[in-house]
Amino acid sequence: MDPECSRLLPALCAVLADPRQPVADDTCLEKLLDWFTAVTEAGSSLLLLQENPCLVELLFHVLKSQDLSSRILSFSLRLAGIFAAQENCFQYLQQGELLPMLFGEVGPLGGAAWTAPAVRSGWIQGLRTLAQHPSALHFLAACGAVDTIFSLQGDPSLFVASAAGQLLVHILDLAMRGPAEGRRSPQACDWPACAQKIVGHIEDSLCSTAIPQVTQALSVLTTAFGHCHGLWTQGLWVRLSPLVARLLEKDPVPASHSLVDLLLSVARSAPSSDRGLWETLAQTLSHLSPTQAGPLALGILKLQDCPQALRTQAFGILLQPLACVLEAAAQAPGPPGLLEGAAGDSMTVDTLLSSKSACVGLLCCALAHLGLLQPLPQRPSPWPQAPLLGAAVTILRLCSGSAAPTSDVGGRLCAILVGCGRVQRAALDFLGALSQGTGPQELVTQVFSVLLEYLVSPESSSMVLKKAFQATLRWLLSSPKTPGCCDLDPHTQLFLTELLPVLQKRLCSPCWEVRDSGLEFLTQMTRHWGGQAGFRQALLASEVPELTKQLLRDPESYVRASAVTATGQLSSWGLCASPECPGAQQESLLVELLHILSTDSEGFPRRAVMQVFTEWLRDGHADVAEDAERFVAGVLQAASRDLDWEVRAQGLELALVFLEQLLGQRGSHCPYAVALPETAPPGVLAQALQVLCRVQLFEFAFRALFDCDRPVAQKSCDLLLFLRAKAAPCGSPQEAGDSPNVASVEATLQRWQAGEQGQPLGYLEPGAVVALLRSVDLEGLRDTLAESSDHVEKSPQSLLQDMLAAVGVLGENEADCY
Amino acid sequence: MKLYCLSGHPTLPCNVLKFKSTTIMLDCGLDMTSTLNFLPLPLVQSPRLSNLPGWSLKDGNAFLDKELKECSGHVFVDSVPEFCLPETELIDLSTVDVILISNYHCMMALPYITEHTGFTGTVYATEPSVQIGRLLMEELVNFIERVPKAQSASLWKNKDIQRLLPSPLKDAVEVSTWRRCYTMQEVNSALSKIQLVGYSQKIELFGAVQVTPLSSGYALGSSNWIIQSHYEKVSYVSGSSLLTTHPQPMDQASLKNSDVLILTGLTQIPTANPDSMVGEFCSNLSQTVRNGGNVLVPCYPSGVIYDLLECLYQYIDSAGLSSIPFYFISPVANSSLEFSQIFAEWLCHNKQTKVYLPEPPFPHAELIQTNKLKHYPSIHGDFSNDFRQPCVVFTGHPSLRFGDVVHFMELWGKSSLNTVIFTEPDFSYLEALAPYQPLAMKCIYCPIDTRLNFIQVSKLLKEVQPLHVVCPEQYTQPPPAQSHRIDLMIDCQPPAMSYRRAEVLALPFKRRYEKIEIMPELADSLVPMEIKPGVSLATVSAVLHTKDNKHILQPPPRPAQPTGGKKRKRASDDIPDCKVLKPLLSGSIPVEQFVQTLEKSTQHPPVPFLLEQHGFSDIKVEDTAKGHIVLLQEAETLIQIEEDSTHIICDNDEMLRMIRIPRIPLSSKLRCLCLK
C-alpha cells in the first residue's frame, strides 16, 4: 500500500466507525472493498493489518457500536472475510476472537441489524471469501454457521437466498476436495462432517413435501454440478440420484424447472458412460408434461455424448406438438408424419387444446427450440427438413385462417390460433431458420406462397410483417442457382414478379414500421442481387425505386434513414436511374442526400447519409468518382457542423477512405508482418497534400481531434497518425518553421483544445500541415484518449480522499457551522 | 312474448316484438342487395350499356329480351331497380304501436311501412339518425328519380318464368314483393311520424313498458334499445361498435341483467379488422395516385367516410399527396359534411372537447378550407369545370347500380392505372362489378365494418350476462365459405336462439310479476309488523284498480254508514278497524307444539294456534317426504303440513271452524294461503 493511502486510512476508518458521519455511498464502499481485495491479493493481509492497526480497530468498533448503519456493518463483515481468506491472517484475527464475534451467534446474527438484508448478504459474502482453507472449515463448524446458511436459503431476499445456496456449494467443495478426494466412497462414512451435514440437509430437502425446499435443494445441486469439477461430484450424484429419481414418481413432478436444470447440469459434467443418469433423463422426459419437457429435450440434444435412444426420445418430445398440428390439419392420411407411429400423442393434443395460452406457449417453445437446434452441428440426423417445413407452413396457415382442416382437432386448433401474432412470429422465425436446408420443390413453393400470403395480408401486424420480410429474404437468398447460369432460377423470378407489387404497396403503408421493414428488405435484397439481371429487370419495371426515393421525405426519421440506405444501395447498382436520363437523376440524388445531411433535424437519416457516402466513395461510385474532391469537401463541411457525434465520426471514416485512395492503404494489421516504411513517393505526396488542403480535411480532422466526444477524437487521432506516417515519417524537405502561419495555427489549435472552437483554422499550406503533424503530440493524445474518462479519479488515493472530503474531514471548513 | 322476424338480412333487421300489451317494431332495414340484379342507371348515355344484347331462353325464345340483358355471362334486369321489403304478411303492420330505430342504415324501409300498411303509431329515433337517415333517403330518391326509366320489367317475376332464368335471378327470393323506390313525398310523410329521443331518455309506452335508447358506438346517433317493464328486461342490440371512431362510445353497462338480448347487426366481414383495412385503403390509394391513376371510392354519404377523411387528413401530407384533389360527390354531400360538425353531443369525448376550443370536431373542415377536399351535388355543373386528374372520388351508390359512381365506373374502368376501392361492406364487390365486365381498372376490397365481431360479442355476453340470446340464424354457424372457422359464430350458454325471415319466435321467458301501486292513504293505514329483521308484513284490504296498464290498490269503499246523526266523528273513522292487532304468524309450524296445542283444551291457547273448543285426544303424526301429516281420527280430519302449504281435509265445516291456522309461510314466493 502506498504511504499516502496508509496515511489517510486511520481517518477513513474513524469516519466509517462514526455513526454520526453520513455514510459514503455504496459505490464508494464497493470500490474500497475492491481495493482491499487487490491489496491482499498482491501481498500479505497479516502485514497489512499489522501495519494499519486502524483496520482491526474498525472491526472491533463495529461490533461494539449499536447504532451503525447496516451498510457499514455489511461492509465490515465483507472486509473481515477478505482479510481472513489468508490462513495466517485468519489465525491472527482468531486470536482476538474477532471472527466468532463477527460471524457467530454473538455477532450481528442475533441482533436487530440482522433484519436488514444488506447485513445478511454481507455475512454470507464475508464467509464466502473467508472459506478458503481448512481452518475456515473448522471455524464454520464451531460457530454453527452452516445451520444459519440452511435457514438463509429460504430468505425473503432473493439475493440472500441465492448467495446462501452458492455458499453451501462452496463450503461443500472446500470440504470434499483434498488428498482423499478420489477415494471417497459414495456412502459417506469417510466424508468430512461438514460435508455430511450439508449433504444430509440436501437429502432431507429432496424428501420434503414442501416444494420450495425441494427447489432449494435442486438449485444447490445444480450449482454444485455446474461449478465444481472435483471427482467428489460423481460420488455425490451416485448418492443423491435415487432421491432425485423418486421426485419423478410424484404427480405432478415438483419443481420441474429446477429438476430440468439439475439434470442438464449433471449431464454436462458426468462421464458419458453413466447409464443410470441416462435412464433418469429418459424417465424424466416421459414424466414431465409436454411444456416442461421441452427445455430438457433441447438440453439433451445439445449434449455432445449422449445415447442415441435418448436423443431420439428427446427429439420426439420437441417434434410432438408439430406432429400433432400436422396430423390435425392433414386433409387425408398423407405422407408419413414427423414421428412415425407415435404422431398425435394424446397428452400433447390435450395441452394444445386445453386453452389458448397453453397452446400458444407450447407451440412457440417447440418452434423456438427447434429453431435453436437447427444450425447446431450436433442436431439430430437425419433432420426431418421436409415435415418440419410442412409443419411451419401449416401453422402459419392455421394462424392466417387460410387452412381448412377437416378434422375436429384441426378445427379447434384453427379457432385457437387464428390471428395469433405470437405464434405467427415464432413460426416465421422458424421458417426462416429452415431456409438453411433444402426441401422438395413442392414444399418450397408452398413456403413462398405462404410467405407471400403473409406479406399481402392486410391483417399481418407490423411485427409479423417484419418477420415475414426477414424469412422471405433468407429463403430468397438460399434459393438454388440454376447450374451454369448466374441468373435467378425461374421459380424465384416468378416469385419476384409477385413480390414487388406487394413491396410497393407496403412502402405506401400508413404504418411507419411497415415502410421501414419494407425498405430494409429492399436494401438487403439489392445488396445481394444488385448484379442479377433478372432482379434488375423486375425492379426497374416496378415503381419500387421511385417510391423509395419519395420516402426520403417521409415524416418518420427512421423511415427516412432506411430510405437513404436503400436509395444509396440502389444507386450503387445503378438501379435508381431511369433509363432515359441517367446522369440527371443521379445528380439529383446526390444533391438530395447532401440536403438531408445538412438540413434533416434527426440524427438517423444524417448518419445513414454519411454511411452511404462512405460506401459510395469506397466503391468508386460513378458520380462520386467524377469529382471526388468536390464531393469530399462538401460532405466534410456538412459533417463538421453536425451536432451528432456519430455523424462526425462517420465523417472521419469517409476522410480516411479518401486518404487511403490518395496515399494507399493503411499498413496491414498483421503483427508478424515486417513493417516497412510505407511512405508515398514525394511527388504523389505533394499532390495529395494539396488535395487534402483544398478539401479542408485538416481543418475537419484537427477540429475532431479536440472533439468533446472521445470516440471522435480517437478516430481523428488515428487518422492523423496514419497521415503522419505517410506524409512525414521523419525529416522531410520542409521544416516546421518554414511556413509563416504555423505559429498562428498552433495557437488556434491550443484554443480549440481549451474548448474555444469558434475561430476557423484558415487555409493551410501543405508544408504547414506537415509541420503541424510533427509538432502536435499525437501519441500522447492517443494515450490520454485511450484511458477511460475517469482514470484520474480511479486511484485508491483519490477514492480515500473523496470519501473523506465528502464528510468534511479533509476540508478546512470543519468549523463552518460556527 | 313473441318475436316476428320480417327480414332475413342480419345487418338490416326488421323485427316485431310483442311484449305485454305492446307491439314494437325493432328497426326497419331495407335490403338493397336486390338491386344487384338490375342494370346500372347511367347518368350519361352509355352506348355500352344500351347496346347489351337481350337474353333469350335456351330454346331461343326471346320474349324476355326487352326485360333481361346479358353482360359478360351475367343476366340483368333492364328496369328501374327494386328493393326487397320486409315481410308484410306475417303480422298486421297496422297493429304496430311504435317503431324503434337503431341507426340511419336501419330505417331505409320506413316509408314503405308507415305509408302503405295502415301504420298509425309513432317512430322513435335520435336526431342524427333522423337527419342522416333523411339524407340517405334523399340521395337514394335523387339517384333513381334523376334517371327516369320508362320501362318497368315484371314479366320475369312470374314464378314459372323465374324458374327458367339463370342464377342468381333464379334464386332471388320474394321477387313478387320487390318494390320500386319511394318518393320524396313519402319520405317526408314518414319522417314526420318520428319523435326525437336522446340517449338514456325513458319513454313510457301505454304505461306497460318503458323504452330507452343507449349509445351503441357505431354511428352518429346510433342506439341500442332497452325495453323493460318492472320485472322484465329485453335488450335490443343492433349495429354496435367498441372501436374508437367518431361516435359516442357504446354503453355496455346498461345492458346488464337482461332476460332476453336480441343481437343483430354484427360485422359483415368478421375476418377483416377495420384498422388493417384502413391501412390497406391508404396504401392502395397512395400507390394508385403516385402512378398517375385515379381512385374511386363507392360509398354512402355518411358514416365511415368521416373516418376515412380523417385518416387521409393525417396521411396525405406524409405520403406526399397534398396536391391530389379529393372529390366528394353526392346530392347531400354538403349537408352530410356540415351535419357531422353540429352533432357535438353525439360524438366521442375527444371530438366533443374540440367543440369547446372552439374547433370543428372533424378535420374534414380543414380539408375543405384548404381546398384539398371539394364536394359537389353531382358531376354536372361546377364539378366538370374543377375536375382535375389524377384524383380521388368518393361517391355513391356502393351498389354501383345508380348514382354518380356509375359514370366514373364507365369513365375509368378501361384503364389499369385507375383503382376502385370498396369500403362499404353491404354489397358483394364481385356482384357489384359484374355489369362492368370486362374491366381493366384495379379493384381493391377493403371493407371497413366497425360493428362488433365475434370475439367482441363473446366478451360482451360474458360481461352483460343475459339469460337468453336471440340472433339471426346466420350468427349461429360459421360462414358457409369458411365452415371450419368455428370462431366465427356466437358461442354462448345457453345456446343462442336463432330466427330467420318470416319466422315467429316464442321467447323463452314467462312473466311472473306485476307491479301494483298502493295509494298513499291506503298505505298510511297499513300497520306492518316486523316478523324478522328487514321483513314486515301487513294485511291489506283494498280495491284493485287497473287502467292504462297501471294497477293501483285503492282504499275499499266504506260500507254505507248508518245515517245515525250528524255527530259522526271523522277522526274515529280514519282509524282502521283492526285496532286490536291479531298476531301475524309466519315460518314453519313446530309440529310437536302444534299437536300439544290440539290436545289441550283451553280458551286462550298460546300462539300460534287458536283452538276454540276442546282439545283432541287421538292425534297421530306421520312424517312425509315434504313435511308431516297430522291425523285427527275421531274428527275424521287430516292436516297436511308442508314447507309452503297447509291443507286441512275434512268433511264438515264445523271442524274447519274449530281449527284456524293463520299462517303465512315465509318462502321466497310469499304465497299466502288462507284457510277458513
Side-chain angles (χ1 to χ4, degrees), chain A residues 68-111:
Chain A
L68 264 181
S69 78
S70 55
R71 287 193 218 170
I72 297 293
L73 195 53
S74 169
F75 165 81
S76 311
L77 289 165
R78 292 170 67 187
L79 188 64
I82 291 172
F83 296 142
Q86 292 180 7
E87 203 158 4
N88 56 354
C89 190
F90 174 85
Q91 310 291 4
Y92 172 76
L93 291 172
Q94 272 295 62
Q95 285 163 18
E97 288 293 312
L98 185 63
L99 290 177
M101 281 194 279
L102 277 170
F103 294 101
E105 294 286 345
V106 289
L109 186 50

Side-chain angles (χ1 to χ4, degrees), chain A residues 403 458-459 505 508 543 550 555, chain B residues 273 276 280 290-291 315 484:
Chain A
E459 299 297 323
K505 190 182 81 181
C508 296
E543 292 132 29
Q550 287 179 12
Chain B
N273 165 15
S276 337
E280 195 73 358
R290 280 174 208 245
N291 285 338
Y315 179 65
H484 65 287

